[in-house]
């Protein structure tokens, strides 16, 4: 049996190395089955089992995912220092890191499936029979904006009006969710609403009505990164590099079917002005 001892020792060392490379990742994003709001239902099809298995095999890194339907719960765990990284909407990740006083690095972005754009933007929505056809038609109309924690429905929407030389609609109507914004259109409490680009086909709007009951008359003048994978800088640079390399291998035929995505891409550059203030 002596010839088995070297092998046992090697396995013990491998186990120790693997344990040292374990990262706890918080997840809170709109398309994940375990974190999407309940009204999204079957439209949330993303799971991360395939990604976790690939990272374990390709990089020797064990990822423990913790799922949070409410972003505020993810923020609490980041502030408490109980997470090494997070997968979430990019604006949420950047502001969460800032408020926690922690430095994070974005390693990769997770794209949308099918023909959906990789980036996130705001869509100006009206009812299908509305006479409004362009952004300029919204002058003097009641428009529902999102809260400032949803960048695409607030900051980007404001910037779009300014870029077009149009005054911001007043009084300012706000909605916490795209579902509520769409409902305001149906109940004729507003003539237009700014919703997240993914919400029309994959979000809460489907609970209120069919996507074809609405019409998009304009998009925000800019697009931003959508779902990103970021890791705290306290994680060893070598581990971060191995993790990033493994993530970026998930493209083409190597994309796990459960990821509900066209693949993982390098982080789309973005430095929002609001974080500099």
């Amino acid at each position: 049996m002596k010839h088995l001892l070297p092998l046992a020792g090697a396995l013990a060392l491998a186990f120790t190395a693997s344990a040292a490379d374990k990262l706890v990742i918080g997840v809170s994003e709109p398309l994940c089955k375990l974190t999407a709001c309940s009204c999204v239902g079957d439209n949330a099809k993303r799971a991360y089992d395939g990604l976790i298995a690939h990272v374990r095999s390709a990089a020797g890194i064990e990822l423990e995912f913790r799922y949070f339907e409410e972003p505020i719960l993810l923020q609490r765990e980041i502030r408490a220092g109980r997470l090494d990284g997070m997968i979430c909407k990019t604006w949420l990740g950047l502001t969460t890191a800032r408020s926690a006083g922690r430095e994070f690095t974005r390693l990769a972005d997770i794209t949308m499936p099918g023909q959906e754009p990789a980036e996130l933007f705001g869509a100006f929505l009206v009812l299908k029979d509305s006479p409004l056809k362009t952004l300029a038609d919204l002058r003097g109309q009641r428009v529902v904006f999102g809260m400032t924690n949803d960048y695409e429905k607030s900051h980007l929407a404001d910037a779009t009006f300014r870029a077009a030389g149009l005054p911001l609609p007043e009084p300012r109507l706000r909605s916490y969710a795209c579902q509520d914004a769409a409902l305001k259109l149906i109940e004729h409490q507003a003539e237009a609403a700014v919703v997240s680009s993914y919400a029309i086909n994959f979000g809460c709007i489907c609970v209120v009505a069919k996507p074809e009951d609405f019409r998009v008359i304009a998009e925000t003048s800019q697009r931003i990164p959508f779902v990103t994978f970021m890791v705290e800088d306290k994680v060893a640079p070598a581990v971060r590099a191995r993790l990033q390399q493994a993530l970026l291998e998930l493209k083409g035929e190597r994309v796990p079917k459960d990821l509900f995505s066209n693949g993982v891409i390098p982080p789309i550059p973005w430095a929002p002005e609001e974080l500099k203030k």
Side-chain angles (χ1 to χ4, degrees):
M1 298 293 291
K2 290 183 179 180
H3 63 283
L4 296 178
L5 292 178
L7 176 59
L11 289 174
L13 289 174
F15 179 81
T16 301
S18 177
D21 292 341
K22 179 178 179 180
L23 300 178
V24 181
I25 307 297
V27 181
S28 183
E29 57 102 344
L31 296 185
C32 176
K33 292 179 181 179
L34 299 179
T35 63
C37 59
S38 57
C39 58
V40 174
D42 293 338
N43 288 318
K45 300 179 180 179
R46 180 173 295 157
Y48 286 97
D49 294 345
L51 182 149
I52 292 171
H54 172 76
V55 169
R56 181 191 302 120
S57 173
I61 299 173
E62 188 69 35
L63 299 178
E64 177 188 332
F65 276 25
R66 298 179 183 175
Y67 299 91
F68 307 95
E69 181 176 333
E70 295 295 337
I72 193 172
L73 300 178
L74 171 69
Q75 294 170 326
R76 184 181 67 185
E77 294 299 290
I78 290 293
R79 292 190 184 105
R82 288 190 282 264
L83 299 174
D84 301 303
M86 48 184 157
I87 297 177
C88 56
K89 291 175 71 173
T90 305
W91 177 245
L92 172 63
L94 294 176
T95 54
T96 296
R98 170 65 63 87
S99 65
R102 299 178 181 276
E103 296 294 330
F104 281 73
T105 296
R106 291 172 56 211
L107 301 184
D109 290 345
I110 301 171
T111 63
M112 291 284 284
Q115 300 300 314
E116 295 291 321
E119 295 170 294
L120 177 65
F121 57 92
F124 291 85
L125 205 66
V126 299
L127 294 176
K128 66 178 181 180
D129 57 355
S130 170
L132 306 176
K133 296 181 180 181
T134 68
L135 188 71
D137 291 338
L138 298 183
R139 185 189 296 267
Q141 303 294 329
R142 296 173 298 178
V143 181
V144 183
F145 291 78
M147 308 301 287
T148 54
N149 58 308
D150 287 314
Y151 194 94
E152 70 279 9
K153 298 187 295 184
S154 56
H155 300 293
L156 275 190
D158 288 354
T160 300
F161 277 102
R162 289 195 294 266
L166 296 170
L168 294 177
E170 294 294 346
R172 183 65 58 91
L173 303 178
R174 296 282 189 185
S175 175
Y176 281 99
C178 295
Q179 174 186 3
D180 298 330
L183 191 59
K184 282 182 170 59
L185 297 184
I186 293 174
E187 295 179 345
H188 301 291
Q189 297 179 30
E191 286 71 50
V194 190
V195 300
S196 303
S197 52
Y198 65 86
I200 300 173
N201 294 319
F202 300 100
C204 303
I205 284 180
C206 300
V207 177
V208 176
K210 297 178 181 179
E212 53 267 30
D213 292 335
F214 303 97
R215 186 161 43 84
V216 176
I217 62 171
E219 298 176 357
T220 52
S221 55
Q222 302 174 46
R223 296 187 174 194
I224 61 175
F226 188 10
V227 175
T228 200
F229 193 137
M230 56 174 57
V231 172
E232 191 168 6
D233 289 359
K234 70 177 184 181
V235 175
V239 174
R240 277 187 278 143
R242 287 185 2 243
L243 174 56
Q244 183 177 45
Q245 180 177 347
L247 291 173
L248 296 180
E249 290 172 355
L250 297 177
K251 55 186 177 182
E253 295 181 353
R254 304 190 71 176
V255 179
K257 291 183 179 180
D258 66 350
L259 194 58
F260 194 54
S261 165
N262 288 328
V264 180
I265 60 175
I268 298 171
W270 186 41
E273 288 293 328
E274 290 77 11
L275 284 186
K276 299 177 183 178
K277 298 178 182 178

